[in-house]
Amino acid sequence: ARHCCSRRPSRWSRSATPDASYASFRRYMDTVFTWAGTHSLERELVPAALGAITPGDLFIKGGFPGHAVLVADVAVNPTTGATRFLLLQSYMPAQDIHVLKNPQAADGSPWYALDFGDRLVTPEWVFARDSLRRWR
């Protein structure tokens, strides 16, 4: 059986003369939003160790549908060394970004503990412990 889609990654190539117009920019953004998603993004990012979590990292589950949440901030308790992090999410195409509540926190806190176990549970998605990725 043939697979419906190519397994080779898409690549950008220059095919037009430079154009700084808004219409050109809009066509470019429409292309990005059409072809870039969690499926391709997961392959572009590199795995990151939880112990080295930093703002800008993502927990990602690539697919159709898939989802990603962005690490917005990391705090370390200077006395205990316990690490907590905040997560942001949005939807495609890009919409308002919002801070996620931690559904495991009885007080409704948005802070997630680094020692969350095998699965990171967010209000709408569950991510595997090893799904933390970083930009190259």
Side-chain angles (χ1 to χ4, degrees), residues 89-91 93-98:
Q89 79 174 12
S90 181
Y91 292 97
Q95 299 174 21
D96 293 338
I97 294 174
H98 57 273

Side-chain angles (χ1 to χ4, degrees), residues 7-133:
R7 297 227 182 248
R8 292 185 315 230
S10 297
R11 303 237 184 253
W12 291 101
S13 65
R14 188 173 307 226
S15 61
T17 59
D19 180 350
S21 70
Y22 179 78
S24 176
F25 170 71
R26 186 58 204 223
R27 284 190 305 274
Y28 167 77
M29 292 305 295
D30 288 345
T31 300
V32 169
F33 284 125
T34 297
W35 293 102
T38 58
H39 179 73
S40 62
L41 183 58
E42 186 176 40
R43 288 162 175 72
E44 297 276 333
L45 301 170
V46 296
L50 274 176
I53 193 170
T54 187
D57 288 348
L58 295 103
F59 286 94
I60 188 165
K61 183 176 183 178
F64 306 97
H67 197 60
V69 293
L70 179 71
V71 177
D73 199 6
V74 177
V76 179
N77 182 313
T79 305
T80 66
T83 301
R84 303 275 189 266
F85 56 94
L86 282 175
L87 296 174
L88 304 175
Q89 79 174 12
S90 181
Y91 292 97
M92 291 296 289
Q95 299 174 21
D96 293 338
I97 294 174
H98 57 273
V99 176
L100 295 179
K101 285 185 181 178
N102 180 350
Q104 308 294 350
D107 64 355
S109 171
W111 290 96
Y112 288 77
L114 193 60
D115 59 354
F116 56 80
D118 290 337
R119 301 175 323 136
L120 175 64
V121 178
T122 70
E124 298 175 21
W125 290 84
V126 177
F127 298 90
R129 182 173 183 81
D130 65 354
S131 65
L132 186 66
R133 300 287 187 275

